[in-house]
Amino acid sequence: MISGERLRKPGWKLLGGLFLVAVIMAAAWGTREAARRMAFFRIRAIEVRGARYLQPNEIVQRLKVDTIASLWDDLAPYKARVRDHPQVSDVTISRRMPGTLVVTIKENLPVALIQTPTGLLPFDTLGKQLPIDPARTSLDLPIVATRDPVLLKLVGAIRANEPRVFDRIEEVRRVGRDEIVLTLSRSTAAGDSALPGGTLRIRVPIGLSVERMADIFPVETDLARRQLRAGELDLRYRDQVIARLQ
C-alpha cells in the first residue's frame, strides 16, 4: 500500500500531473473526433482574405473541400494546396464556428512588366513570372528592360519602402555595368503642374539605398518654386542631387 506521505513526494506529484494532462488530452481528442462527425460542423462557407490579384475562387478551387468535410478536419493539407500556387508566398487558415474556413493569403506581388515572346508579362522581385493576365487585370507597373535581378530587386524595394516613387516609375534600365536609369512621370504634388507633361530621368548607382530616393522630392519642390525644369536628377554622388536642367 502507498502511504499518503509517499504520495506527497515531488515525484508522485509530477506523475499525477502528467496523468491528469493525458486524461484531459484524451477527452479533448475524443470530443474533437465526435465533433468531426456532426453535420453541424460541416464546412459550408470559405472566406478568402488578402487576395489582390488572385481571384478568391482560384483559392477555393485549390482547397478541394469535400461536401462532407468538417471544420475539425486537419488543416495542413488545405494549407499545402494553397501554398503550391506560384503567386502565394504564405497562407494561414483558421476556423470560424460553426462552418466557415477563413483563408488568409500573402501574395507574391508583381513589381514590373517585362517584354517576353508572348508580350509584356508581370514578374515579382525575385524574377519569377506570375500567372496574372495583364489583359484581364489592370497592372499599373513599370516596364523593366530585361529580366535583370538587380533591376527587379531595386524596383521591389522601392515598391515596399518608397511607394511615392514607385507610383511614378514608368521604365527602368541598366546603363553600363554600374548605373541604373529610372524614368519617372512628372510630379504634380511638388507644384510641377505649371510645367506639365514629359518625364524625369533619375540616374542612380547600383547598390543605392532606397531611402536615398526620397531626396528627389525637396529638389523637385525647389525647382518648381523657381519655375525651373530638370530633365535628369543624378543621385550618383554622395549626399548630393545634381539637377540637369532642360
Side-chain angles (χ1 to χ4, degrees):
M1 181 179 293
I2 301 174
S3 67
E5 181 180 350
R6 187 175 180 184
L7 286 174
R8 285 193 293 271
K9 291 184 177 180
W12 285 102
K13 288 181 179 180
L14 177 60
L15 289 174
L18 292 174
F19 177 75
L20 180 60
V21 170
V23 170
I24 293 172
M25 290 179 65
W29 178 256
T31 302
R32 180 169 175 171
E33 284 297 300
R36 288 183 62 196
R37 293 191 290 270
M38 295 173 63
F40 181 72
F41 291 111
R42 284 182 183 170
I43 298 174
R44 295 182 289 278
I46 299 172
E47 180 180 334
V48 179
R49 299 176 180 175
R52 180 169 177 179
Y53 295 100
L54 271 173
Q55 294 299 315
N57 64 337
E58 289 186 62
I59 300 300
V60 173
Q61 291 172 3
R62 278 191 168 260
L63 288 169
K64 298 180 182 178
V65 176
D66 193 273
T67 55
I68 60 171
S70 170
L71 199 65
W72 294 107
D73 288 343
D74 184 10
L75 300 181
Y78 297 142
K79 291 181 181 179
R81 291 168 194 162
V82 175
R83 195 178 286 117
D84 277 346
H85 194 290
Q87 203 171 323
V88 174
S89 62
D90 197 14
V91 57
T92 58
I93 302 179
S94 58
R95 303 176 176 91
R96 189 169 69 219
M97 302 301 169
T100 300
L101 278 183
V102 179
V103 183
T104 304
I105 65 171
K106 182 178 180 183
E107 289 191 46
N108 290 322
L109 296 178
V111 298
L113 295 172
I114 298 177
Q115 186 66 49
T116 71
T118 57
L120 287 170
L121 293 177
F123 285 75
D124 68 8
T125 190
L126 297 177
K128 181 168 62 177
Q129 181 184 326
L130 299 177
I132 304 173
D133 185 355
R136 299 177 58 185
T137 306
S138 178
L139 294 174
D140 187 12
L141 298 171
I143 296 175
V144 172
T146 61
R147 194 169 173 173
D148 186 329
V150 173
L151 301 182
L152 291 170
K153 183 178 179 181
L154 173 63
V155 175
I158 294 173
R159 176 168 195 165
N161 300 288
E162 278 295 342
R164 294 178 299 168
V165 176
F166 180 82
D167 290 343
R168 294 172 53 191
I169 300 175
E170 296 186 0
E171 184 181 3
V172 182
R173 57 188 174 87
R174 190 194 285 249
V175 179
R177 295 182 55 187
D178 304 319
E179 296 178 19
I180 297 172
V181 172
L182 300 91
T183 302
L184 273 59
S185 59
R186 295 274 171 188
S187 170
T188 56
D192 207 13
S193 55
L195 298 166
T199 57
L200 173 68
R201 293 186 307 276
I202 308 296
R203 190 177 296 270
V204 304
I206 289 178
L208 181 83
S209 69
V210 175
E211 292 76 14
R212 179 93 157 87
M213 295 294 299
D215 290 349
I216 70 172
F217 297 122
V219 174
E220 285 185 307
T221 300
D222 181 62
L223 290 173
R225 180 180 58 81
R226 293 189 288 161
Q227 292 290 292
L228 297 175
R229 185 181 180 108
E232 179 177 282
L233 298 181
D234 194 335
L235 276 67
R236 291 177 298 168
Y237 304 95
R238 184 180 180 88
D239 301 326
Q240 294 183 24
V241 178
I242 296 177
R244 298 188 174 93
L245 302 180
Q246 287 186 333

